[in-house]
Amino acid sequence: MTVAHDQLFQFTKSILQAAGCSEKDARLAAEVLISADLRGVDSHGVARLVGYVRLIDKERVNTKPETKIIHETPSTAVMDGDSGLGLVVGPQAMKLAIDKAKKVGSGWVSVRNSNHFGIAGYHSMLALQDDCIGISMTNASPLVAPTFSKERLLGTNPIAVAIPADKEPPFVLDMATTTAANGKLEILQRKNATAPTGWVQDKDGEGTTDPNGVKNGGALLPLGGDREHGSHKGYGLSSVVDIFSAVLSGANYGPWVPPFVAFMEPAADPVGKGIGHFFGAMRIDAFRPAGEFKSHMDNWIGRFRNAEPVMEGHDVLIPGDPERKLELQRKKDGIPLLDPVVEDLKSLADRYQVEFPS
């Protein structure tokens, strides 16, 4: 079914409030989730709502967090998220990074004791309105095997960078450091479809197209898929995200990162607190006049977009183009939801006596 984005927002906000969040936090968390659905990142939108509620039920998420800065310099900080929803903790930390950038040119905030923060691009894009470049990263549940390993030691560990332009739309890179995010496997499972080659390996380290390969003891693969196609580079990028997000902040890293799914318990021997994030903001005019920079960004974007295509009809895309087009379309036509997602949302509606959009 297809649901208008504003109706889906109100429903999501109501569910989160019913689950214990304040009105302010529920509104922010719902905004982050709906932004993912609008931009076509369905794996990180309302399909995840039931997962957050299950974590709240297990008391692994604090619905009334009191975040605090535990270490700070003029340009840096470490924030403790008090086990709050990453959907709420993340924007707070990103805004702190932006505030620091306004004062001293750049701001960098590493976060510990948080949870899954949704779509990485939402956080980095918060910097655009202040003529800043925004950067966001997070570590995640250990579902990824490093190159040459059978063990799952890393998460999908996304990186998002948002860069403003003038007349052109902003450049927004939002990518997992795996060949595909785990949420895309979940979508394939709901569709009873097979996974492309290079996404997953089985429990013996052999490639598989089974979308349940990870559930059956296998692992996601780093960006590149295998060594011959550069998986060591995806492994390296994922490692950097893990270190910036967690080793730097005091969060759990590598195989100790708490799983997003409620049926799996966190490691019995944690090395830190919760999940970790990393945020950065750089004020453009700390490098050159903002107008001058954005004019050159327009020129950069225009030149790449007009590159001669290999195949007619397959023009070169600028990072953020597909998501922006989908957002315009879905704001007009509504957000499509797969049947299993609708069933999950209706179960939440029944539980909390919240009307599901028709």
Side-chain angles (χ1 to χ4, degrees):
M1 67 182 294
T2 301
V3 180
H5 75 278
D6 54 347
Q7 291 182 318
L8 200 55
F9 168 82
Q10 289 298 333
F11 172 79
T12 303
K13 174 177 170 288
S14 297
I15 292 295
L16 289 168
Q17 276 188 268
C21 295
S22 69
E23 193 276 340
K24 179 182 177 183
D25 286 356
R27 174 176 294 276
L28 178 54
E31 182 178 308
V32 179
L33 289 177
I34 299 305
S35 75
D37 285 308
L38 284 172
R39 292 176 68 79
V41 191
D42 300 332
S43 57
H44 285 57
V46 293
R48 294 261 177 168
L49 183 58
V50 69
Y52 290 111
V53 171
R54 286 172 182 156
L55 289 174
I56 291 170
D57 288 342
K58 294 277 286 188
E59 298 184 348
R60 284 171 48 189
V61 168
N62 179 5
T63 57
K64 301 277 194 308
E66 295 183 9
T67 58
K68 60 183 179 182
I69 297 169
I70 58 174
H71 184 76
E72 187 173 24
T73 73
S75 63
T76 67
V78 175
M79 177 181 285
D80 188 295
D82 195 26
S83 295
L85 281 171
L87 304 167
V88 174
V89 176
Q92 290 181 9
M94 186 70 218
K95 287 175 182 176
L96 176 59
I98 294 167
D99 287 343
K100 287 181 175 294
K102 288 179 180 178
K103 293 174 183 175
V104 297
S106 68
W108 307 94
V109 179
S110 198
V111 178
R112 73 180 193 190
N113 204 11
S114 185
N115 285 281
H116 191 281
F117 79 176
I119 177 175
Y122 175 90
H123 309 292
S124 60
M125 290 173 69
L126 290 175
L128 295 174
Q129 60 196 2
D130 290 298
D131 274 352
C132 288
I133 293 171
I135 300 169
S136 64
M137 309 177 191
T138 184
N139 66 5
S141 307
L143 300 174
V144 183
T147 303
F148 300 139
S149 174
K150 291 183 182 179
E151 286 192 85
R152 304 192 305 208
L153 298 177
L154 289 165
T156 52
N157 295 6
I159 299 171
V161 180
I163 305 173
D166 185 15
K167 295 180 176 61
E168 292 283 356
F171 174 110
V172 182
L173 173 72
D174 185 356
M175 54 170 265
T177 51
T178 46
T179 305
N182 186 54
K184 291 189 176 180
L185 283 184
E186 293 171 350
I187 291 172
L188 293 177
Q189 291 160 15
R190 296 183 188 113
K191 292 180 175 180
N192 292 315
T194 57
T197 301
W199 281 25
V200 187
Q201 69 181 28
D202 63 22
K203 60 183 177 61
D204 298 316
E206 300 295 329
T208 179
T209 59
D210 180 3
N212 294 295
V214 177
K215 286 185 177 180
N216 295 331
L220 290 169
L221 292 169
L223 185 63
D226 56 36
R227 178 65 173 79
E228 287 70 26
H229 294 91
S231 69
H232 58 293
K233 298 178 182 179
Y235 164 38
L237 285 171
S238 183
S239 301
V240 167
V241 173
D242 199 32
I243 293 166
F244 279 26
S245 299
V247 180
L248 200 57
S249 69
N252 288 292
Y253 46 82
W256 292 277
V257 175
F260 177 74
V261 290
F263 63 82
M264 291 179 65
E265 294 297 324
D269 57 342
V271 292
K273 291 187 175 182
I275 284 176
H277 318 310
F278 184 79
F279 303 96
M282 297 186 291
R283 208 176 70 219
I284 289 168
D285 65 7
F287 296 87
R288 67 187 301 190
E292 185 178 284
F293 170 86
K294 291 195 288 185
S295 174
H296 279 278
M297 275 303 299
D298 280 358
N299 189 48
W300 189 98
I301 290 168
R303 180 64 185 90
F304 277 72
R305 186 173 281 136
N306 291 311
E308 184 178 357
V310 174
M311 294 175 59
E312 194 67 32
H314 291 269
D315 294 338
V316 173
L317 297 173
I318 305 303
D321 279 354
E323 294 87 349
R324 188 183 70 260
K325 290 175 183 176
L326 263 179
E327 183 170 4
L328 291 173
Q329 177 188 326
R330 291 185 172 188
K331 279 185 174 178
K332 176 184 175 184
D333 300 332
I335 294 171
L337 302 174
L338 295 173
D339 289 343
V341 175
V342 173
E343 291 172 12
D344 282 345
L345 296 180
K346 285 184 175 179
S347 71
L348 292 175
D350 290 342
R351 173 180 173 180
Y352 292 112
Q353 296 300 294
V354 173
E355 185 177 356
F356 185 73
S358 58

